[in-house]
Amino acid sequence: MPNMSFDQWSKNKGCWNPYPKDSKNTTWDTANHGLSILGINGATPEYDHVAVSGPGKAAVKVETKQALGILVAGNIYTGRFLKIVKMSGAKIEMGVPFTGRPKSLSGYIHYIPGKIDVASKNMKNLIGTTDNAKIEISLREGDSLQVVDSTDDKFQNEHGASYPGTVGYGVMYFKQDTKGYIRFEIPIEYLSGNTPTNIVITATSSCHAQQFTGSTGSVMYLDEFKLNY
């Protein structure tokens, strides 16, 4: 897929986008379309701290921040941001067309978690514990891409292996400071022998951010994603 090395970026009215300017192939997207209105970006290009150096090389820096008193985790995902919902959420088209059956997703991550300082009412027990990052991959079949509303209570159950049409799935959590870049590899467990029609990859610096829980200041650098066969 395009830009799995996260080298290509453009900026439009203060919003950083992980694709070239005027590109019709927007494989990756972020929450920046909503956040940049408030003057912040949760995912930005990183040119100095990269896993693989060289001319034109970049990584993506993903950060958890607060906006209008609400916790917002930086993220990057395959799909397309559609619109802002209720100021604190978004409607997103998840995934892009894809028909392969890779055995794993690999790449490089440098994660610097903070202590959780913002939590929703039913997650107050996590205050003071270390934040976690998450990278998730899902291969699905179906005639259309999934459209989610992040303010909907069902959103959390629409990402995982139980989502209808899931052919293969893998997830990895990062629970401590990696002290620099480390290589990760997420095995994909196949639930059927069917051929996928789309692929969803998501990465976030705070895994509980959809419940408005996380650490303001958790930072994750990602670079050089690769699908392995």
Side-chain angles (χ1 to χ4, degrees), residues 16-177:
W16 277 109
N17 300 310
Y19 45 81
K21 186 177 181 180
D22 300 323
S23 175
K24 295 181 180 179
N25 191 343
T26 57
T27 298
W28 298 94
D29 214 339
T30 72
N32 290 347
H33 299 281
L35 298 178
S36 62
I37 296 174
L38 304 174
I40 62 176
N41 282 265
T44 55
E46 173 60 44
Y47 298 105
D48 296 322
H49 184 47
V50 296
V52 177
S53 60
K57 299 301 292 180
V60 53
K61 181 181 181 181
V62 180
E63 302 179 76
T64 302
K65 300 182 177 183
Q66 283 197 62
L68 300 178
I70 300 171
L71 185 92
V72 287
N75 59 38
I76 190 163
Y77 55 86
T78 56
R80 187 164 59 102
F81 184 98
L82 299 178
K83 66 177 183 179
I84 299 171
V85 177
K86 298 178 183 178
M87 293 303 295
S88 61
K91 185 165 283 189
I92 302 167
E93 183 179 68
M94 302 298 299
V96 292
F98 186 82
T99 58
R101 286 177 60 93
K103 70 173 184 179
S104 64
L105 170 70
S106 62
Y108 293 88
I109 181 174
H110 178 192
Y111 185 47
I112 310 166
K115 298 294 184 181
I116 292 176
D117 57 351
V118 179
S120 59
K121 184 176 180 180
N122 62 343
M123 303 190 86
K124 292 293 186 183
N125 61 306
L126 295 180
I127 291 287
T129 64
T130 303
D131 207 356
N132 292 181
K134 180 172 72 169
I135 301 174
E136 191 173 27
I137 179 170
S138 184
L139 296 150
R140 300 172 176 173
E141 59 178 337
D143 295 331
S144 61
L145 297 173
Q146 176 196 16
V147 175
V148 300
D149 178 345
S150 65
T151 64
D152 192 325
D153 292 338
K154 297 185 299 181
F155 177 68
Q156 290 302 308
N157 297 322
E158 293 179 339
H159 264 311
S162 61
Y163 180 74
T166 300
V167 175
Y169 179 77
V171 63
M172 186 170 286
Y173 292 87
F174 300 86
K175 302 181 179 181
Q176 58 189 8
D177 193 325

